[in-house]
Amino acid sequence: MESLCRVRMNWDNFRHNVRLLQREGKTLMPVIKADAYGHGAIRAAAELSGLGIDWVATGTLQEGAAVRESGFQGCIVALLGLNFDTGALRVARGKNVAPLIHNWEGLRFAASQNTEDAPMNIALKVDTGMGRLGFPLSDMETVSAFLTEHPTLSPLALLSHFSVADEPEEDAYTRRQAEIFSRAADILRRRFPDMRCSLGHTAGLLCHAEISGDLCRPGLSLYGYNPLFGTTREEKGRGLLPVMEVSAPLLSVHPLHAGESLGYGRAYIAPDERMVGWVGIGYADGYRRSPSPQTCMCVNGERVPVLGRVAMQMTCIDLTALSTAGRLPAPGDDVYVLGGPGNAVSAQDLAGWWNTIPYEVTCLLGKNRLNRP
Ligand SMILES: *Cc1c(COP(=O)(O)O)cnc(C)c1O
């Protein structure tokens, strides 16, 4: 889809964030799934490679294959696994992308399909309390025995995922997850001593590095956002710098006289003389249709409120204050919907207005990266 909005990435900030995360002294397997949370997985992988990082986690195997084809030479783990697709399995072996195997169906499928002599790298997942993907701890002995009988499957790493590592009052649960993980790892490591152990995501790495395993999987923090925002541990994510910036052009600037209304449903009626502008971004571009009344954009270095209802490809902003100050922008001027000078509109702000999390904000708006007008 064509879109008028412009998405820019600040890769200096990305590199800064990676270095900040490296301070914990762990090997990193940065998570670049879902096209690097909207930022572009290929470019992110190239940046990581340039920083000497030799593990990445993608979402699908195909995403992993694309990263491999782009020249990334380290280990690639596809977090969504094989999905019982023989084509995917061919990709996994051909491009050396390790599928995350998380249940017996997947393990048997991989073993039955992988009839060649050359070993195939895989990653394994144990469920320690996320209740999502993973073998139960009680299956670890049989998984280990199965792998011993199928030497063509070569386990690179054991993974699990924390569910509440960002919540201080849930530390007991997090510690229990780490304990289950370490028991699973002990069992597998008896036969596979070189297997890496990967537990912590951003919150794990920042709050529980000592129990996060030797291979950590930060995602959100790479892109400059702090999953600990609003908790008593917010400080631990200090210093991260946002990578994504999204702007859209002003299409129209005009007065709205007292009593006149704006857009569908006449959702805004001018109480007095106003100056308004229509910006070329709407819900088709991932800009949510029902934001809270506090929602702002940034133009001419100033935060301005969104007015009325967001349309499919247009949204209205209130330019009255800028007009009064003699700094009225003109059609064609850029309006920041995310970022702007001094990060005027952060993904955290938008997440608050949209009643969601920064992860969803960058995934939604980042898609416009692919839609250059
Ligand atoms: C998305 C994801 C991560 C990264 O989590 P962040 O909170 O973004 O750091 C790590 N591991 C798994 C399995 C994931 O799905």
Side-chain angles (χ1 to χ4, degrees), residues 31 33 37 79 125 132 159 161 201-203 217-221 227 359:
V31 178
K33 69 188 180 197
Y37 295 34
L79 296 174
K125 193 161 203 181
R132 200 164 68 173
L159 277 66
H161 202 25
H201 57 336
T202 299
R217 305 187 307 273
L220 188 71
S221 48
Y359 299 74

Coordinates of all heavy atoms in Angstrom, one line a residue, residues 31 33 37 79 125 132 159 161 201-203 217-221 227 359, ligand 1:
V31 N 16.7 -9.8 19.5 CA 15.5 -10.3 18.8 C 15.1 -9.4 17.7 O 14.8 -8.2 18.0 CB 14.4 -10.5 19.9 CG1 13.1 -11.0 19.2 CG2 14.8 -11.5 21.0
K33 N 12.7 -10.3 15.4 CA 11.4 -10.8 14.9 C 10.5 -9.7 14.4 O 10.7 -8.6 14.8 CB 10.7 -11.7 16.0 CG 10.1 -10.8 17.1 CD 9.6 -11.7 18.3 CE 9.1 -10.8 19.4 NZ 8.9 -11.5 20.6
Y37 N 10.7 -5.5 15.0 CA 9.7 -4.7 15.6 C 9.3 -3.5 14.7 O 9.0 -2.4 15.2 CB 10.1 -4.2 17.0 CG 10.4 -5.2 18.1 CD1 10.9 -6.5 17.8 CD2 10.1 -5.0 19.4 CE1 11.1 -7.4 18.8 CE2 10.3 -5.9 20.4 CZ 10.8 -7.1 20.1 OH 11.1 -8.1 21.1
L79 N 12.2 -18.1 16.2 CA 11.4 -18.4 17.4 C 10.1 -19.1 17.2 O 9.5 -19.7 18.1 CB 11.2 -17.0 18.1 CG 12.4 -16.3 18.7 CD1 12.1 -14.9 19.2 CD2 13.1 -17.2 19.7
K125 N 13.0 -25.5 23.3 CA 12.3 -24.6 24.3 C 11.7 -25.4 25.4 O 11.0 -26.4 25.2 CB 11.3 -23.7 23.6 CG 10.8 -22.6 24.5 CD 10.1 -21.5 23.8 CE 10.2 -20.2 24.5 NZ 9.5 -19.1 23.8
R132 N 3.1 -21.0 27.1 CA 2.9 -20.7 25.7 C 3.6 -21.8 24.9 O 2.9 -22.8 24.5 CB 3.6 -19.3 25.4 CG 3.1 -18.7 24.1 CD 3.4 -17.2 24.0 NE 4.9 -16.9 23.9 CZ 5.3 -15.7 23.6 NH1 4.5 -14.7 23.6 NH2 6.6 -15.5 23.5
L159 N 16.1 -22.6 25.2 CA 15.4 -21.3 25.5 C 14.3 -21.5 26.4 O 13.6 -22.6 26.5 CB 14.9 -20.7 24.2 CG 15.8 -19.9 23.3 CD1 16.9 -20.8 22.7 CD2 15.1 -19.1 22.2
H161 N 11.2 -18.5 28.4 CA 10.8 -17.1 28.4 C 10.2 -16.7 29.7 O 9.3 -17.4 30.2 CB 9.8 -16.9 27.2 CG 9.7 -15.5 26.7 ND1 10.7 -14.5 26.8 CD2 8.7 -14.8 26.0 CE1 10.3 -13.4 26.3 NE2 9.1 -13.6 25.8
H201 N 14.9 -12.0 28.4 CA 14.7 -11.0 27.4 C 15.1 -9.6 28.0 O 15.9 -9.6 28.9 CB 13.2 -11.0 27.0 CG 12.2 -10.8 28.1 ND1 12.6 -11.1 29.4 CD2 11.0 -10.3 28.2 CE1 11.5 -10.8 30.2 NE2 10.6 -10.3 29.5
T202 N 14.6 -8.5 27.5 CA 15.1 -7.2 28.0 C 14.9 -7.1 29.6 O 15.9 -6.9 30.3 CB 14.3 -6.0 27.4 OG1 14.6 -6.0 26.0 CG2 14.8 -4.7 28.0
A203 N 13.7 -7.4 30.0 CA 13.5 -7.2 31.5 C 14.3 -8.2 32.3 O 14.8 -7.9 33.4 CB 12.0 -7.4 31.8
R217 N 18.3 -12.4 25.3 CA 17.5 -12.1 24.1 C 16.8 -10.7 24.2 O 15.5 -10.7 24.2 CB 16.5 -13.2 23.8 CG 17.0 -14.6 23.7 CD 16.0 -15.5 23.2 NE 14.8 -15.5 24.0 CZ 14.6 -16.2 25.1 NH1 15.5 -17.0 25.6 NH2 13.4 -16.1 25.8
P218 N 17.5 -9.6 24.2 CA 16.8 -8.3 24.3 C 16.1 -8.0 23.0 O 16.6 -8.3 21.9 CB 17.9 -7.3 24.6 CG 19.1 -8.0 24.0 CD 18.9 -9.4 24.2
G219 N 14.9 -7.4 23.1 CA 14.2 -7.0 21.9 C 13.9 -5.5 22.0 O 14.7 -4.7 21.5
L220 N 12.9 -5.2 22.7 CA 12.4 -3.8 22.8 C 13.5 -2.7 23.1 O 13.5 -1.7 22.5 CB 11.3 -3.7 23.8 CG 10.6 -2.3 23.9 CD1 9.7 -2.1 22.6 CD2 9.7 -2.1 25.1
S221 N 14.4 -3.1 24.0 CA 15.4 -2.2 24.4 C 16.4 -1.8 23.3 O 16.9 -0.7 23.2 CB 16.2 -2.7 25.6 OG 16.6 -4.1 25.3
P227 N 11.0 -1.5 28.8 CA 9.8 -2.3 29.2 C 9.5 -2.1 30.7 O 8.5 -2.5 31.2 CB 10.2 -3.7 28.9 CG 11.6 -3.8 28.9 CD 12.1 -2.4 28.5
Y359 N 5.8 -1.8 22.0 CA 6.0 -2.8 21.0 C 5.0 -2.7 19.9 O 5.4 -2.9 18.7 CB 5.8 -4.2 21.7 CG 6.6 -4.6 22.8 CD1 6.4 -4.1 24.1 CD2 7.6 -5.6 22.7 CE1 7.2 -4.5 25.2 CE2 8.4 -6.0 23.8 CZ 8.2 -5.4 25.0 OH 8.9 -5.8 26.1
Ligands
LIG1 C1 9.9 -11.1 21.7 C2 10.7 -12.0 22.5 C3 11.9 -11.6 23.2 C4 12.2 -10.2 23.4 O1 11.5 -9.6 24.4 P1 11.7 -8.0 24.8 O2 10.7 -7.8 25.9 O3 11.3 -7.2 23.6 O4 13.1 -7.8 25.2 C5 12.7 -12.6 23.8 N1 12.3 -13.9 23.7 C6 11.2 -14.3 23.1 C7 11.0 -15.8 23.0 C8 10.4 -13.4 22.5 O5 9.3 -13.9 21.8

